[in-house]
Amino acid sequence: MKARTVAFLITAALVVYFVLLGGRAVVLLGTGDPVGIGLGIGVLVLPLIGAWVAWTNVRFGFTTERMARQLDAEGGLLDTSGLPRRPSGRVDREAADAWFEERLADVRARPEDWRAWFLLAQAYDLAGDRGRARDTMRKAIDLFQVPKNRV
């Protein structure tokens, strides 16, 4: 099953959960009891926070996918299938480090180009640093979404 399908299924389950939780919050708010109202407000805030987190992650995925399609159409999406791999399937550490250094040099040469940042995020991901990969992809998204007349 594709990651996108799994993400949609989980999001759909979350929406159902948030609706049910929101219903409980309304019941608690309707009690008129100060404790019930306080709990109702707390329970109502949880689905709102959850919905915001789900939306930001879905938006991140859609934007990243759109960027990858554009980069691929431009011929700029680099193929990493030729990099040496460990038996586990992960890219060999030395190869990942060398590939990373090339992407980092590209970012230093073109710091305002979302394409360079996108490929650097891919390099972080290959190296197994998911946190930095996500942060770097956020930078690429920020640059991707800047109107052309502001650059």
Side-chain angles (χ1 to χ4, degrees), residues 19-39:
V19 168
L20 293 173
L21 200 57
R24 291 289 143 212
V26 170
V27 169
L28 285 168
L29 289 170
T31 64
D33 181 40
V35 173
I37 292 171
L39 285 172

Side-chain angles (χ1 to χ4, degrees), residues 40-151:
I41 291 170
V43 169
L44 190 59
V45 168
L46 290 176
L48 295 175
I49 292 171
W52 175 77
V53 168
W55 168 247
T56 57
N57 281 301
V58 167
R59 190 179 68 204
F60 179 88
F62 279 140
T63 306
T64 301
E65 197 172 273
R66 191 170 74 233
M67 293 165 66
R69 280 194 308 267
Q70 181 176 332
L71 196 57
D72 189 36
E74 295 171 354
L77 197 58
L78 301 178
D79 183 17
T80 60
S81 63
L83 294 175
R85 298 192 180 264
R86 297 178 184 167
S88 65
R90 294 194 66 176
V91 174
D92 181 64
R93 182 69 181 180
E94 291 174 8
D97 288 346
W99 206 77
F100 173 83
E101 288 301 324
E102 291 173 21
R103 304 297 71 81
L104 186 58
D106 289 345
V107 166
R108 289 181 178 147
R110 301 174 292 140
E112 297 302 317
D113 187 358
W114 67 266
R115 294 159 187 85
W117 286 94
F118 184 97
L119 295 173
L120 181 62
Q122 187 181 17
Y124 272 123
D125 187 58
L126 281 175
D129 193 342
R130 305 278 191 255
R132 285 191 180 145
R134 197 163 178 85
D135 291 343
T136 304
M137 189 60 76
R138 282 189 192 104
K139 172 70 175 173
I141 289 171
D142 289 345
L143 292 170
F144 179 74
Q145 293 176 339
V146 170
K148 300 290 187 235
N149 59 358
R150 284 182 43 198
V151 176

